[in-house]
Amino acid sequence: MREKEPTFHIETEHVEKNYPGRSVLKDINLSIKKGEFVAIVGKSGCGKSTLLRLLAGLEMPSKGQLTMDQRPLAELNSEARMMFQDGRLLPWKKVIDNVSLGLTKEGKDRAKKALQLVGLEDRMTDWPAKLSGGQKQRVALARALVHEPSLLLLDEPLGALDALTRLEMQALIEDLWQQKKFTAILVTHDVEEAVAIADRVIVIENGYISLNQSIDLPRPRQRTSTPFSMYLDQILDRIMGRTQQRKITLLRSYPNTTKV
Amino acid sequence: MKFSTKGVSEKLIPWLVPIMLLVGWQLFSVLGIIPSRILPAPTQVFQAAIDLSATGELMNHVSISLGRALIGFLIGGIIGFAFGLFNGIFRFAELFFDTSIQMLRNIPHLALIPLVILWFGIDETSKIFLVALGVMFPVYINTYHGIKSVDKGLIEMGKAYGLKGKALFFHVILPGAMSSILVGVRFSLGVMWLTLIVAETISAHSGIGYMAMNAREFMQMDVIVLAIVLYALFGKLSDVIAKLFERKLLRWNGT
Ligand SMILES: Nc1ncnc2c1ncn2[C@@H]1O[C@H](COP(=O)(O)OP(=O)(O)O)[C@@H](O)[C@H]1O
Ligand SMILES: [Mg+2]
C-alpha cells in the first residue's frame, strides 16, 4: 500500500477577498494540519477577521478556494466554531441558554458539561451582564466547544482582558486544545501570546502572508527563555518592517512573501 | 429593619404631593375660595362617580371607551408592528413601503377628523380608525428602528452558530429589537388616549368624552371633572401595564 500523503485539515489556495473599492486579502495560501495550533498576527485592518470569516464559511472568497478535509467550502462551515473578541453572548439569554444556543433540548446536559470545562457551572443561571469580562469569554469558549468543532476560530478573544486574566485564559485554551485535539486558529495582536501557545505563527501584511514561522519550543513554554524571545523579536521585526536579519535564521520565507 | 422602612417610605413619598393637593383642593372648596362653578370639590366628583355608577351609565361609557381604545390599539399596533418587521428585515419591503409610510406619518392624524367623520359618520368605526392610525406610526417607527439597530455582531454570531430564518429571528433579532419596540408601545398608548379623548369629545354619542361634553350642556361640573380624572387614571394604568411588560421582557438588562 502506498504511503498515505500527509493530508491537511484546512487549505487555502490563492484566496482573495475584495470588498467594493478595497482589496483586503490578495493571495493567501495556507495549509494547516489536523490538530495544529496556528496564530495569525498582523496590523489592525490587515484582514485577519476577514480570513476567519472565510474559514467559518460566513463569507465566500472573491477568488481562490478554501478546502476542509479536501472538500471545498461552499457554505457555512458546520465543523468550525468561532469565538469573538467581544464575546457576543446574547444578553437576553442566561449563561446556560447562551451555551446551548443552536442545540436541541438534550443540549442542556452538554452545555452543562461545557461550562464545567471552563469552570463556570455555578454561573449557569446568571445573566451575562453579571459576569466579568474574563467569565464572559469563558462562556463564549464553552459555547464554541459544546459543538465539538474540529476547527476552533478565535478572533482576538483575549484582546479586551487584563493581563492576568489573559494569562489564565491562554492556559485554559491551550489545555482544552490539548484535551480535545481540535485544530485552532487564533488571531491576536499580542505576539507574545502567539509565540506562547501556537505551533506556528503567521503574519499577514498588505493582503499577503509575509511570514510563516513554526515555533519549535516544548510546552509548556517558558516566556523568559532565550529562544522564546528570539522568536518574539523576529516576528516583531517582521511586523514592524525592520528587515535586517536577526540572530536566528530558522525562518523559511514562503514563495509568496513580499518584502516591504 | 431599617432597610424595609426605607422601602416603604420610598413607595409613599411620591404620593405625598397628590394627596396634599387633593386635601388643599377639598379645603378651599369647602371654604368657598374655589367656587363650585369653577371647580367642584373632590367629594362632589366622587359623589358624581357613585351616582353615575348606580344608574350603570358610568360603566357603560367607560367600557365603550376602553373597547374603542383596545380595538384601535390592537389594529394599529399589529399593522405598525407587521410593517416595522417586514421593512426592518426585508430590503425589498423597505424600499417599497418605508418612504410612503414616512410621508403619511407626517400628517397629524387628528387633522383627518373632518374627513373621517364624512367617511364613517360618528359611529364606532371613526373612533377606532383614528386610534388605529395614531397608534400605528409610533409602533412602526420603533419596531423598524429596533430591528435595524440590532447588533450586527450578534447576528453574525447567530449565523456562525447555525441559526437562520425563524430561529435567528426569535433568538436574536426580535429580542434585540424588543426594548425599542416597547418604547414604541408605551408611546403609542399615550397617543391612543389622546386620540380617543379628542375624537370622543368632538363627535360621539357614547364614551367618556361624550359624557363630559354632554355634562357641559347641563353645566354638570362634577361629571366633567370626573371624565378628566378617569382619563388620567386610565392613562396611568396603561403606563403601569406597559412598564410591567418592560420589566418582564427586559429582565436581562435590569440587573
Ligand atoms: N463587510 C465589509 N465591507 C467592506 N469592508 C470590509 C468589510 N469587512 C471588513 N472590511 C474591511 O476589510 C479590512 C480588513 O478588515 P478585518 O478583517 O476586520 O481586519 P482585522 O481583523 O485584521 O483588523 C478593513 O479595512 C475593513 O474596513
Ligand atoms: Mg479583527
Side-chain angles (χ1 to χ4, degrees):
Chain A
M1 222 175 83
R2 198 166 63 98
E3 174 90 19
K4 225 176 148 199
E5 288 207 0
T7 57
F8 290 106
H9 190 200
I10 299 143
E11 290 181 278
T12 74
E13 290 160 37
H14 304 294
V15 163
E16 289 181 32
K17 182 68 188 176
N18 308 313
Y19 290 114
R22 175 185 286 130
S23 156
V24 180
L25 298 174
K26 288 174 185 142
D27 186 15
I28 300 294
N29 297 280
L30 263 178
S31 303
I32 297 172
K33 290 195 288 282
K34 205 165 195 77
E36 197 177 1
F37 201 129
V38 175
I40 300 177
V41 294
K43 290 188 181 147
S44 173
C46 71
K48 305 180 296 289
S49 300
T50 304
L51 180 57
L52 287 199
R53 278 203 300 277
L54 293 176
L55 289 164
L58 284 166
E59 285 180 48
M60 292 299 134
S62 310
K63 271 200 197 129
Q65 183 171 276
L66 297 98
T67 58
M68 191 145 170
D69 294 321
Q70 270 81 50
R71 284 190 308 272
L73 204 58
E75 47 168 19
L76 192 70
N77 189 345
S78 58
E79 285 184 49
R81 280 299 176 254
M82 174 110 87
M83 200 181 147
F84 305 89
Q85 166 162 14
D86 41 359
R88 301 197 188 170
L89 300 180
L90 297 173
W92 45 84
K93 283 184 183 292
K94 301 220 164 134
V95 165
I96 182 86
D97 298 319
N98 261 290
V99 176
S100 48
L101 185 73
L103 297 176
T104 47
K105 275 264 175 278
E106 43 74 60
K108 280 267 155 68
D109 286 332
R110 281 166 59 195
K112 263 182 221 170
K113 290 213 181 77
L115 278 170
Q116 270 163 18
L117 279 181
V118 299
L120 280 180
E121 66 273 28
D122 54 330
R123 305 305 296 271
M124 255 177 2
T125 54
D126 278 328
W127 298 111
K130 284 203 170 170
L131 304 179
S132 70
Q135 288 168 331
K136 280 183 193 151
Q137 288 305 60
R138 282 170 191 243
V139 174
L141 184 59
R143 179 176 66 186
L145 292 179
V146 77
H147 298 263
E148 302 186 340
S150 68
L151 171 62
L152 184 64
L153 303 168
L154 303 139
D155 194 355
E156 307 196 33
L158 313 183
L161 304 181
D162 63 89
L164 289 177
T165 313
R166 193 146 70 205
L167 286 178
E168 220 173 81
M169 284 293 287
Q170 285 165 4
L172 178 68
I173 290 172
E174 188 180 18
D175 182 37
L176 289 171
W177 167 70
Q178 282 171 333
Q179 272 181 49
K180 303 274 169 189
K181 312 214 178 324
F182 48 78
T183 307
I185 303 180
L186 167 74
V187 165
T188 176
H189 54 238
D190 180 352
V191 180
E192 185 187 314
E193 178 173 293
V195 177
I197 50 180
D199 295 321
R200 190 144 59 102
V201 176
I202 282 160
V203 177
I204 296 183
E205 211 175 335
N206 300 320
Y208 299 96
I209 292 176
S210 66
L211 180 71
N212 191 337
Q213 175 66 58
S214 299
I215 310 290
D216 298 314
L217 295 174
R219 292 167 193 274
R221 290 177 180 158
Q222 276 298 329
R223 298 187 188 212
T224 45
S225 72
T226 316
F228 190 97
S229 45
M230 276 160 55
Y231 278 118
L232 200 61
D233 278 356
Q234 177 213 339
I235 293 165
L236 277 172
D237 281 354
R238 180 68 249 176
I239 297 172
M240 305 310 287
R242 292 178 245 151
T243 45
Q244 80 271 32
Q245 279 300 110
R246 286 292 199 107
K247 311 123 206 170
I248 35 172
T249 40
L250 295 158
L251 73 152
R252 183 164 55 90
S253 287
Y254 272 58
N256 53 10
T257 299
T258 47
K259 290 265 187 294
V260 195
Chain B
M1 204 60 232
K2 191 158 179 259
F3 182 76
S4 77
T5 31
K6 186 175 169 241
V8 170
S9 63
E10 277 198 0
K11 284 235 164 66
L12 289 181
I13 287 172
W15 293 100
L16 280 183
V17 173
I19 289 171
M20 267 155 53
L21 280 175
L22 215 57
V23 170
W25 174 11
Q26 178 71 33
L27 206 67
F28 283 131
S29 298
V30 171
L31 293 175
I33 297 172
I34 306 177
S36 62
R37 269 179 305 110
I38 304 289
L39 204 60
T43 44
Q44 284 173 290
V45 176
F46 195 66
Q47 188 59 48
I50 293 174
D51 294 345
L52 285 174
S53 304
T55 62
E57 205 181 328
L58 186 65
M59 223 21 235
N60 184 37
H61 288 307
V62 165
S63 56
I64 285 175
S65 286
L66 281 181
R68 287 171 182 157
L70 200 70
I71 295 174
F73 178 80
L74 284 180
I75 295 176
I78 288 171
I79 295 176
F81 182 67
F83 271 107
L85 280 189
F86 280 107
N87 293 2
I89 294 174
F90 303 110
R91 179 80 186 123
F92 172 77
E94 181 183 4
L95 279 176
F96 204 75
F97 293 117
D98 185 56
T99 309
S100 316
I101 296 179
Q102 299 288 356
M103 257 155 45
L104 287 179
R105 184 173 74 96
N106 286 313
I107 304 172
H109 66 291
L110 294 176
L112 297 181
I113 288 180
L115 199 59
V116 171
I117 292 176
L118 286 179
W119 284 347
F120 303 114
I122 59 169
D123 287 333
E124 294 314 290
T125 324
S126 58
K127 256 71 79 189
I128 291 172
F129 179 85
L130 282 169
V131 170
L133 196 66
V135 160
M136 191 172 94
F137 294 110
V139 173
Y140 169 76
I141 293 289
N142 286 283
T143 305
Y144 172 76
H145 278 131
I147 299 236
K148 280 280 168 187
S149 54
V150 174
D151 185 346
K152 298 284 173 295
L154 290 182
I155 295 178
E156 186 186 56
M157 183 283 298
K159 285 183 180 158
Y161 279 74
L163 301 184
K164 51 187 175 208
K166 230 171 71 184
L168 189 66
F169 176 76
F170 284 109
H171 289 291
V172 183
I173 298 175
L174 186 62
M178 193 51 83
S179 69
S180 175
I181 294 173
L182 289 178
V183 167
V185 166
R186 243 176 108 177
F187 187 81
S188 69
L189 284 172
V191 174
M192 171 186 86
W193 285 117
L194 181 78
T195 311
L196 195 68
I197 293 167
V198 174
E200 284 188 345
T201 307
I202 291 179
S203 65
H205 12 244
S206 57
I208 301 173
Y210 165 79
M211 188 178 82
M213 279 318 274
N214 198 41
R216 187 195 58 116
E217 298 205 354
F218 302 101
M219 293 290 278
Q220 293 168 319
M221 269 309 225
D222 47 356
V223 177
I224 296 177
V225 175
L226 176 65
I228 295 169
V229 170
L230 283 176
Y231 277 131
L233 286 180
F234 284 125
K236 177 71 187 165
L237 186 70
S238 51
D239 208 47
V240 167
I241 294 173
K243 265 195 188 144
L244 273 178
F245 268 99
E246 271 179 26
R247 210 167 300 155
K248 179 134 184 60
L249 291 170
L250 306 177
R251 253 171 322 172
W252 49 271
N253 80 22
T255 43

